[in-house]
Amino acid sequence: MELEMNVISFYESDRQPYWLGEIKKSDWRGGAILYKLLSEGAFFDACGAGARVLLLTQGDRLVSFCTYVEKDDIPSDLKPWMGFVYTFPPYRGHRYMQLLFDEVARLAQQEQVSSVYISTGQIGLYEKYGCKFLTKMANQNGDLARIYVKEIPSA
């Protein structure tokens, strides 16, 4: 019997050290950056006071994670952002990230936000989730990133 998948908020979890250790296991540079921000207590300074880390879990397994934040790696007035989007390799190809997109949409609706932005180098990934390419913008390092927008329907 397979365990149910759940979306939990890192900062509302009573198991933060455990989940932090699971984030650290990601094989992606962005995951290492998120781990560092969380472990050094710098996450809110970097991402905004109301920032959230969302975890898609299956029992004690971390399937995917992302952030829902005011500030991302793009110096811009656009907000909010869905960032640090990652799915662990054994779970890829099943569109489990949709569960995190649904939670981001719910949060955006609560805040009466009509669009959420994503900064990425990926092509063809976010389109599967209804995102539309918007433009290219320079990130904090001066590298061009693709900016996608996800329209959020009214609640």
Side-chain angles (χ1 to χ4, degrees):
M1 178 172 135
E2 254 187 64
L3 294 170
E4 182 180 332
M5 296 217 182
N6 295 294
V7 176
I8 63 173
S9 174
F10 176 80
Y11 282 105
E12 293 173 12
S13 169
D14 58 1
R15 300 179 67 204
Q16 287 179 22
Y18 175 79
W19 295 119
L20 185 62
E22 293 301 296
I23 290 169
K24 186 178 184 179
K25 292 177 183 176
S26 76
D27 60 354
W28 173 54
R29 183 179 58 87
I33 293 168
L34 179 60
Y35 171 81
K36 183 175 183 191
L37 289 171
L38 293 170
S39 63
E40 293 178 356
F43 178 71
F44 295 111
D45 290 337
C47 299
R52 294 178 173 92
V53 178
L54 303 173
L55 310 173
L56 179 61
T57 64
Q58 187 177 40
D60 281 341
R61 292 191 182 129
L62 183 56
V63 173
S64 297
F65 57 83
C66 73
T67 58
Y68 177 70
V69 299
E70 228 177 271
K71 300 183 283 185
D72 198 66
D73 68 336
I74 303 293
S76 166
D77 290 335
L78 298 175
K79 64 180 179 180
W81 295 86
M82 183 176 178
F84 292 104
V85 179
Y86 180 81
T87 299
F88 282 89
Y91 299 99
R92 292 180 186 160
H94 301 281
R95 297 205 181 176
Y96 293 136
M97 184 57 66
Q98 183 65 54
L99 297 168
L100 289 174
F101 267 97
D102 292 347
E103 180 64 10
V104 165
R106 188 187 71 74
L107 293 169
Q109 286 171 337
Q110 280 182 344
E111 296 173 3
Q112 298 180 338
V113 169
S114 60
S115 301
V116 175
Y117 301 91
I118 299 170
S119 164
T120 185
Q122 298 288 324
I123 298 173
L125 174 62
Y126 295 104
E127 293 88 342
K128 295 182 221 177
Y129 300 101
C131 299
K132 305 255 186 276
F133 175 74
L134 182 65
T135 190
K136 289 184 179 180
M137 296 175 82
N139 65 19
Q140 293 169 340
N141 298 326
D143 299 322
L144 278 183
R146 296 176 61 83
I147 308 301
Y148 286 85
V149 61
K150 171 75 172 169
E151 299 299 332
I152 306 298
S154 304

